[in-house]
Amino acid sequence: MNTWSFYANLALNGLVEGLLIGLAALALNLVFAVGRFPNAATGDFMTVGAYAGFGAHYLGGNIVVQSGAAMLAGAAVGLLSYFAVFRKLAGRPMVAALLASIGLGFVYRSVVSLFAGHDPRFFPMGTVSAINIGGVRIRDTDVWLAGIALLCMAVALAVLHLTPVGRQMRAVADNAVLAQASGIRSRRVMFALWAMAGMITGVAGLMLGIRTAVSPELGWGMLLPAFAAAVVGGVGSPAGAILGGVMLGIAQELSTPWLGFSYKIALSFVALAVMLLVRPQGLFGQKEAVR
Amino acid sequence: MDRSRRQIIKQGAGLALVASLPSAVTRALAQGGETLRIGALNPVTGAGSPYGGGMQKAIILAASEINALGGVGGRKIEIFAEDSETSPEAGVRAAKKLIEVNKVQALLGTWSSGVAAAVMPLTDAAGIVHSTNAGASNITSSKGLMFRYSGLSVRVGEALGRFAAKRGHTRLATMAFNNPSGREITGGAKAAWEKLGHQLVGEVIYEPNRPSYRSEVQKILAANPDAIVMGAYLPDFISILRETRQAGSNVKFYTPAWTVNQSLIDAVGPKATEGVYVHDYVAALDSAAFKSFVDRFRKATGIDATENYYACCAYDMMVVVGLAAEAAAGKGALQDSMRTVANPPGDVVYDFAQGQKLLKEGRKINYEGASGPIDFDQMGNVKPLFKLSEIKDGKVTMIGKVFEDY
């Protein structure tokens, strides 16, 4: 393998990891933009999505059915979380919702492990073929993942900018009181928001679960990288989240020839710290991104 | 998935029943006298989860059997069970609770080196016996309180390295999960390999829970090895094996047993697991203690202990502590009696009842357990039995014989 393809492969690996992180960050940013708090249960929404997808697989469903199940389950926990907890905390300080979301994450994790047990579950994927372009190997599963990530981002942006409910979402994000005064029904907006964020997180969890192991702690471990990507990309910016994830992923993998595999993870947190110091609004964030 | 929800709930109910037995019995008697308080700190969740649940149930089973015989030295055993989550933080939290709140007199069944190393200072400070399956060599108590029921990771690595050499490999590489156990396995392999006059062609240390190990695999394959010794756990090994085969490599893997089970074969397919060689501790398959334990364990919990070596160890941990407590009653510290009941010379016994009877007659005994002969050396280590297997056509097949020494 020549040097060029060695680094190209590293960058590609980073891109794939980054897309996964970016999907979780996208859901974080959507909720942050409209709901105004960092949802620490995002990781556990992913876990629920992964288990739903695994359940669909167990019952014989293919990848489309699995994705559907993951999205439905993600949307269900998103809506449940909103109506049971976060709606009642609207208007309270951000830290109340943040703490509630951490607690809620624990609840989902425990419920999942109560019913599914703690044993890791694995999708019997076997091995997949790869397209070899000049030594750079692109797998089918990567193409799938990239497609789903871009689709999620496109749908999120389309909903925000092309639909009435998206316009209302942006209005609520801009000024919730004013939005309400001008007749926007916040319940409908929030319903759409949590359903959308839940679906994205659910499918992200499934993608992660397919590649690794489905376990109750699956999503929790993704939360910090997702936060880092959300901050680097710009808190509240949907496109920034994906780009932030991808940039972090690529930087991480490309650093490995020098930093080794143990310290590459620290890199995302260094990036996070630097970004907060130098440009707190992130690369693509404006003060209020979803407007 | 091989278990339905209903089965899991049923098993859960069974466990609750078993778990409630010793405490219910002891609570009733607790007013009458003191109990022997034992902490069961096991990896019920996390990387050790394939074994941890069974370990805990085995300890509880042993305790309830001992209590049914009237307890030790007139005292009933009371088990306090906790989950270490295979995580040092959670393990320390649980150990603190067991030691400070429950005032346990022995802590049984830590499994990973990370947890055992973090908990050891607490058990040393409290002056209580700590029985473990951790393999890191730095886990030895200066106070003689650590007792290890399986081997050192470094020895597992040496066995794997020598085995690779014996099978004619010339370009060996290593990949280690970044914890003491993972690094010592590959360190042992490296030492054995270099002793034979070879050099490793590549070494990678990787972090747990990564979404992908493709860069790590690319790095190691760039060195063009013909075999790789893994210091790994199951989830990361699945990921690494899959990536390796997807990269078109047929390199052989030499790996410890906890990375290999049916989920591995199901997840990557039989073809990809071809050429995976496994070092495995093995219980005392031919011994009366093992056979009888497997039967009783299946009856009590529905779990097949032949699939869970560490449950056999955990059972022995409780029996040995029980016998040691019987021997030490009114005479001194528990840790001083561990060798008295487990090591030769003495009458060989295979269960608690037999051992207790002979102890009461004032005899010296030598307990031979379900997990092996259990003879502690000065460091508190046993010489475990082990075997080597290979995966062929999706089945793990033993090669050669059971080894008693390294």
Side-chain angles (χ1 to χ4, degrees):
Chain A
M1 190 185 292
N2 61 35
T3 328
W4 179 84
S5 61
F6 185 83
Y7 288 107
N9 271 314
L10 285 183
L12 180 72
N13 304 345
L15 174 70
V16 171
E17 266 197 64
L19 284 171
L20 268 172
I21 299 170
L23 273 178
L26 172 60
L28 266 178
N29 267 353
L30 282 175
V31 170
F32 194 91
V34 182
R36 294 301 171 87
F37 72 95
N39 176 19
T42 300
D44 300 288
F45 287 13
M46 288 174 76
T47 309
V48 171
Y51 271 96
F54 191 86
H57 150 73
Y58 182 64
L59 298 173
N62 60 15
I63 180 76
V64 178
V65 179
Q66 291 165 22
S67 305
M71 288 168 102
L72 272 180
V77 286
L79 291 171
L80 178 70
S81 311
Y82 173 66
F83 284 106
V85 178
F86 297 130
R87 187 164 60 115
K88 302 190 166 66
L89 295 175
R92 305 266 190 90
M94 182 205 276
V95 73
L98 170 64
L99 290 178
S101 70
I102 294 174
L104 208 56
F106 273 110
V107 172
Y108 289 136
R109 222 172 309 154
S110 307
V111 170
V112 161
S113 52
L114 180 67
F115 285 98
H118 291 285
D119 293 348
R121 317 256 174 202
F122 304 96
F123 280 89
M125 279 226 309
T127 47
V128 298
S129 56
I131 314 156
N132 195 331
I133 306 170
V136 181
R137 307 176 74 94
I138 302 169
R139 321 239 197 289
D140 304 3
T141 45
D142 301 345
V143 178
W144 264 101
L145 174 66
I148 286 173
L150 293 176
L151 188 71
C152 283
M153 194 173 83
V155 168
L157 286 174
V159 168
L160 281 175
H161 291 280
L162 302 177
T163 64
V165 74
R167 211 159 35 240
Q168 293 169 358
M169 248 184 235
R170 288 184 292 137
V172 174
D174 185 28
N175 187 331
V177 180
L178 190 60
Q180 210 157 12
S182 46
I184 291 174
R185 302 208 324 262
S186 71
R187 180 178 286 212
R188 185 165 155 242
V189 168
M190 288 311 210
F191 189 94
L193 169 77
W194 283 97
M196 191 159 80
M199 282 181 193
I200 293 169
T201 339
V203 85
L206 176 66
M207 292 290 124
L208 181 61
I210 286 177
R211 302 170 61 84
T212 58
V214 181
S215 73
E217 293 82 23
L218 167 92
W220 178 243
M222 284 296 282
L223 189 63
L224 278 178
F227 268 133
V231 171
V232 167
V235 169
S237 154
I242 297 272
L243 285 168
V246 166
M247 286 174 56
L248 276 185
I250 293 177
Q252 252 180 36
E253 295 310 307
L254 282 180
S255 74
T256 54
W258 296 278
L259 290 181
F261 297 104
S262 290
Y263 296 106
K264 69 175 180 186
I265 300 161
L267 197 72
S268 48
F269 300 103
V270 172
L272 174 66
V274 170
M275 193 51 92
L276 284 172
L277 285 171
V278 178
R279 195 178 152 85
Q281 69 271 39
L283 287 178
F284 304 95
Q286 298 131 21
K287 285 262 155 55
E288 309 291 343
V290 184
R291 247 194 291 194
Chain B
M1 206 167 5
D2 52 0
R3 285 186 293 177
S4 70
R5 205 184 102 195
R6 191 170 297 172
Q7 271 174 318
I8 290 168
I9 290 171
K10 230 177 355 188
Q11 280 178 356
L15 171 62
L17 196 67
V18 174
S20 67
L21 271 178
S23 53
V25 174
T26 45
R27 293 265 157 66
L29 286 152
Q31 285 119 1
E34 202 195 330
T35 58
L36 178 64
R37 306 158 81 84
I38 303 291
L41 179 57
N42 314 111
V44 180
T45 61
S49 61
Y51 309 109
M55 293 173 77
Q56 201 151 73
K57 288 173 202 172
I59 293 172
I60 290 167
L61 174 68
S64 65
E65 287 175 355
I66 293 171
N67 284 342
L69 292 163
V72 289
R75 290 188 293 172
K76 295 281 179 173
I77 295 173
E78 195 171 3
I79 299 288
F80 299 88
E82 289 290 338
D83 176 11
S84 73
E85 302 175 25
T86 329
S87 136
E89 294 84 10
V92 164
R93 232 174 11 246
K96 270 195 145 92
K97 177 245 174 199
L98 288 171
I99 293 169
E100 287 165 13
V101 180
N102 302 127
K103 310 245 181 279
V104 297
Q105 285 142 300
L107 195 84
L108 309 184
T110 54
W111 181 80
S112 65
S113 298
V115 171
V119 168
M120 184 175 66
L122 303 177
T123 49
D124 265 9
I128 61 172
V129 165
H130 179 173
S131 299
T132 188
N133 279 119
S137 56
N138 62 351
I139 300 171
T140 44
S141 158
S142 54
K143 297 183 174 172
L145 293 164
M146 289 298 301
F147 294 89
R148 194 195 312 264
Y149 284 69
S150 46
L152 293 167
S153 303
V154 65
R155 299 256 180 271
V156 176
E158 285 170 10
L160 288 172
R162 276 207 298 272
F163 190 50
K166 207 181 271 175
R167 295 190 58 85
H169 295 291
T170 54
R171 298 183 61 81
L172 190 69
T174 63
M175 293 185 82
F177 186 99
N178 193 6
N179 78 354
S181 164
R183 289 196 309 265
E184 284 194 13
I185 287 174
T186 56
K190 184 180 185 176
W193 190 249
E194 287 177 352
K195 214 169 155 191
L196 295 165
H198 311 295
Q199 289 292 316
L200 290 181
V201 294
E203 292 174 72
V204 159
I205 294 176
Y206 61 86
E207 293 300 303
N209 302 326
R210 302 301 303 154
S212 147
Y213 288 103
R214 202 178 295 170
S215 304
E216 286 83 344
V217 166
Q218 176 179 322
K219 164 102 188 281
I220 211 78
L221 290 184
N224 194 24
D226 59 7
I228 304 172
V229 170
M230 300 295 302
Y233 292 96
L234 178 63
D236 37 295
F237 184 53
I238 287 182
S239 209
I240 286 170
L241 182 60
R242 187 183 278 152
E243 291 294 353
T244 310
R245 298 299 184 238
Q246 281 174 176
S249 165
N250 284 320
V251 66
K252 306 281 190 275
F253 284 94
Y254 288 81
T255 176
W258 50 85
T259 63
V260 171
N261 63 17
Q262 194 56 43
S263 338
L264 170 81
I265 296 161
D266 292 344
V268 296
K271 197 159 157 272
T273 52
E274 204 79 6
V276 173
Y277 296 90
V278 194
H279 168 288
D280 198 356
Y281 294 120
V282 50
L285 299 177
D286 299 324
S287 88
F290 175 75
K291 286 173 186 157
S292 148
F293 166 66
V294 168
D295 280 350
R296 280 173 291 136
F297 195 56
R298 189 181 291 118
K299 257 181 220 138
T301 64
I303 300 173
D304 182 3
T306 55
E307 302 279 315
N308 190 343
Y309 165 75
Y310 298 100
C312 302
C313 291
Y315 180 81
D316 288 340
M317 289 174 187
M318 186 62 248
V319 173
V320 170
V321 161
L323 289 171
E326 180 76 39
K331 284 184 210 142
L334 193 60
Q335 62 269 27
D336 299 331
S337 294
M338 297 284 282
R339 289 177 185 80
T340 317
V341 298
N343 289 14
D347 296 343
V348 172
V349 298
Y350 296 101
D351 60 38
F352 179 82
Q354 211 183 351
Q356 188 182 39
K357 185 164 156 282
L358 292 176
L359 282 174
K360 279 183 175 154
E361 292 167 8
R363 306 275 284 277
K364 161 87 181 69
I365 59 166
N366 171 16
Y367 175 67
E368 307 271 319
S371 66
I374 314 183
D375 300 327
F376 299 108
D377 66 10
Q378 282 180 323
M379 311 295 281
N381 296 333
V382 298
K383 274 191 183 140
L385 310 171
F386 74 97
K387 64 180 179 184
L388 292 158
S389 311
E390 79 173 302
I391 308 185
K392 236 187 154 93
D393 304 324
K395 295 230 162 22
V396 185
T397 325
M398 189 166 148
I399 314 174
K401 60 181 177 65
V402 171
F403 298 81
E404 288 180 8
D405 206 347
Y406 290 95

